[in-house]
Structure formats: C-alpha cells, structure tokens
Amino acid sequence: MSYNRENYIRLKKQFEERSAAAERAAEMRRAELHAAIPELKGMDDAQAQIGLRMFKLAMELSGEELEEAIKKLQYETEQLAADRSALLLAHGYPPDYDKVKYECPTCMDTGFVGTKMCSCFRRALVFAGYESSGIAELIRTQSFETFDPSCQRADPKSYELANLNLSFCRNYAETFDPATSPNLLLIGATGLGKTHLSTAIAKTVIERGFDVVYDTAQNVLADFEYERFGRHGEPEAGEPPRTSKYFECELLIIDDLGTEVANQFTVSCLYNIINTRVNKHLPTIINTNLGREDLRRRYADRITSRLFGEFRPLLFTGTDVRTLKLSSNG
Ligand SMILES: [Zn+2]
C-alpha cells in the first residue's frame, strides 16, 4: 500500500461531510422533539442562556464571588439536564435522542483531534490505500482460511513447518497487541506463503481495529526517496509526511525485503524505521527471500544485528506453491 494523496483529499472531504450530516440529523431530531413536546423548547432556551450568563458573570465578578456564582449555575445546568431527561422519558424518547451520534466520538467524525490524525481516519486511509494499490485483492484471497499447508505434504518437514507457521501467525493476529507482540522475520524462498500469511495477519489485525501499514520494501523506500528528493507541490493543509505512517502505525509489514535498490540512503532509511519501531515497542513484520548470510552481505551490521536480535524468525521451506499449482493444472 502506498500513501495516496487523492485518497487523503477525498477521505478528508468525506469525513467532513459525515460529521456535518451527523450534526444535521441531530438538529432535525431536536426540532422533532420541540414540535412533540412544547415545554422542551423553553428548557433548551434556558440551557443556552446559562452559557451567556456564565460569560457575563466572569466579566463582572471575581474571586470567591465568581466561584460561588459558577457553582450555582453548574447546579442549575445539572437540574435542567435531569428535568429534560425525565421529560423525554415521560414522552417515550431516550434522553440522548437528539444528541449528535458520531461514528467516531473521539474525533467527532472529522478525522482529526486537533492537528493529530485520528486512528479512524488513518484506518480509512489504509483501506483506501489497499484499494488503490491492489492489495485489497490480496486481502480478499489471502486469508488464514485459504492458506493450505497440504500442498507441502510431499516433504513432511516442510508440511509440519507450514502448519506451525499457519497456527503461529493466526494466533499472532488474533492476539495482536502493539505493546506485547513480537517482531517477526519471515524467511524463505518465493512461493512458500510468506506474503499469504502476512497478508492474512494484516487482514485480521485491521479487522480487530488496529492501524496496519503493508507494503513492499521497494515502495516503502520509494516514499522516503520521494520525500527527500522529489516532493512536487505543497502538501495539503494537515497532510502528514508520507513516511510518518511507517514510524507510527501499530503494525508495519514490509514485504520482499532485499528486492529494493540498496544504497547508502535506502539502507539508512531502513535502519531508521527498524530502530525507531524497536525503540517505540511497535511491532514490525518483515518478509524476505534472503537467507541470513545474504542479509549480512547486503545490509550493514546495525541492521542485521537488529533483525537477528529483535525479530522472531519464522522459516518457510518446501516447494513453490505456484509451481505446484501449475504442474497440477497442466
Ligand atoms: Zn476518529
């Protein structure tokens, strides 16, 4: 999934519209209540007046006098609210009937709390990113249910390993907790199910409400190169840098480590991601076709010592699933 500017702008607008619609709907329910229960209008006007009276008192009084007056008004507010609830109940309405009902009360459906992106917005962005990058397709087909270890039956050891990997990954996803879940390093040749299982983890963890970012090493590093060397045009107001998600998401999955162009810049970005996330105790899953020695040759010690020291390795062995499928089809 690659961060996508159009998604961001489209979703921001969508969220603003959703927030406004929730407020309009509440206004309409209030109008309905006022029509059905005439004395309610007087109560709501009195409640609105309290705010003004509070403001006036703050201008006129000070010290203990002000404190005393505020206490009285607060008491009045509570009384009014209690009377209002009782009145609504007596007319067969729930007391919160005309409260604004946001899908996300944290950000009131705006997607932001102050200038900070709400997790609901980030999730929407991730989903939109899956859609626009084609990973949505992977998620539809690559779940735990569709992972079939039996294609490795020919080799008992690989078969056992595939079963172990499946149950480990399933348990990992179902119990995922950013504070306690380990980092994983999925090692093995192409076509043994690393992408399949890590996609299945992403799917389950997203469905459980966590913020997941999934992309190939190549795309992740392309985002860093874009930020460093080629930002065209100014970012949208409030738009975060496109690489911040790699440091902030609750689970980062980097697919195909070792297929990206390795140079001093990309290697230092990679180290920065891994090291920052290890220090923040945010889990990362990395898939690679490279063995330990290849990794050592390709990356600096500071990266491999992190990978070997802080990541739990899961080994994949056997025969390429795609080759098996081809031969069984033909
Ligand atoms: Zn929210």
Side-chain angles (χ1 to χ4, degrees):
M1 194 219 59
S2 197
Y3 172 68
N4 179 304
R5 187 184 164 89
E6 276 111 71
N7 287 344
Y8 178 87
I9 293 167
R10 179 173 52 80
L11 283 173
K12 196 154 186 276
K13 195 155 167 263
Q14 220 175 65
F15 269 65
E16 279 158 11
E17 282 166 5
R18 188 194 295 167
S19 179
E23 280 156 21
R24 270 199 310 277
E27 283 297 324
M28 280 171 68
R29 290 196 299 276
R30 180 162 309 158
E32 180 197 333
L33 288 180
H34 285 168
I37 316 169
E39 60 264 54
L40 194 69
K41 178 86 170 71
M43 271 185 188
D44 286 346
D45 289 345
Q47 191 69 273
Q49 283 299 318
I50 289 182
L52 288 177
R53 282 163 60 200
M54 189 95 83
F55 181 74
K56 238 180 121 202
L57 286 174
M59 306 295 286
E60 287 164 1
L61 304 175
S62 61
E64 264 174 44
E65 260 184 331
L66 177 60
E67 239 170 73
E68 200 54 40
I70 287 177
K71 249 186 225 156
K72 265 190 198 149
L73 280 183
Q74 274 165 346
Y75 178 72
E76 218 175 298
T77 302
E78 283 160 22
Q79 280 305 112
L80 265 173
D83 291 349
R84 188 183 201 273
S85 294
L87 186 62
L88 288 183
L89 279 172
H91 283 80
Y93 291 98
D96 64 349
Y97 185 72
D98 58 340
K99 274 249 159 59
V100 187
K101 294 186 177 72
Y102 297 110
E103 278 177 41
C104 176
T106 311
C107 65
M108 299 194 288
D109 290 353
T110 60
F112 290 84
V113 181
T115 55
K116 214 172 157 1
M117 194 187 278
C118 184
S119 62
C120 73
F121 188 80
R122 192 184 294 279
R123 249 187 332 267
L125 207 52
V126 167
F127 269 117
Y130 285 160
E131 289 296 334
S132 58
S133 71
I135 276 225
E137 207 47 53
L138 276 185
I139 281 189
R140 265 189 281 281
T141 56
Q142 309 209 324
S143 62
F144 290 120
E145 289 68 34
T146 60
F147 185 81
D148 180 14
S150 69
C151 50
Q152 301 300 345
R153 241 184 233 285
D155 171 28
K157 213 157 174 220
S158 299
Y159 179 54
E160 194 193 337
L161 213 49
N163 273 307
L164 283 175
N165 287 340
L166 170 61
S167 63
F168 179 87
C169 290
R170 192 197 282 268
N171 182 56
Y172 182 92
E174 284 168 358
T175 59
F176 178 82
D177 178 347
T180 54
S181 292
N183 303 306
L184 304 179
L185 182 61
L186 277 54
I187 305 181
T190 308
L192 300 179
K194 299 189 305 294
T195 299
H196 189 135
L197 283 183
S198 51
T199 306
I201 290 176
K203 182 175 188 283
T204 303
V205 172
I206 289 172
E207 282 160 5
R208 290 186 52 228
F210 293 102
D211 177 23
V212 181
V213 171
Y214 189 124
D215 214 333
T216 60
Q218 201 178 348
N219 287 344
V220 171
L221 292 165
D223 276 346
F224 282 87
E225 282 174 329
Y226 172 87
E227 277 203 339
R228 174 74 175 76
F229 303 111
R231 184 186 272 288
H232 302 296
E234 286 302 303
E236 188 74 2
E239 180 189 20
R242 56 166 72 192
T243 56
S244 62
K245 64 185 177 199
Y246 301 125
F247 300 104
E248 289 165 9
C249 65
E250 291 168 303
L251 175 62
L252 172 66
I253 302 177
I254 301 179
D255 199 12
D256 261 345
L257 182 76
T259 56
E260 78 287 352
V261 176
N263 55 44
Q264 219 178 349
F265 178 72
T266 57
V267 168
S268 84
C269 292
L270 199 59
Y271 174 74
N272 194 11
I273 298 172
I274 293 173
N275 192 50
T276 305
R277 293 186 64 83
V278 165
N279 289 339
K280 282 169 121 179
H281 296 286
L282 287 172
T284 308
I285 296 176
I286 294 180
N287 298 340
T288 184
N289 301 340
L290 301 178
R292 279 176 176 261
E293 283 318 307
D294 299 323
L295 285 168
R296 269 208 190 90
R297 265 195 296 277
R298 190 175 165 92
Y299 300 107
D301 277 351
R302 53 188 186 147
I303 291 188
T304 48
S305 70
R306 282 304 203 188
L307 287 181
F308 301 147
E310 309 280 352
F311 283 64
R312 184 187 163 132
L314 286 190
L315 291 177
F316 288 71
T317 62
T319 314
D320 187 337
V321 182
R322 283 166 284 190
T323 322
L324 286 173
K325 276 183 186 154
L326 277 179
S327 57
S328 67
N329 288 344

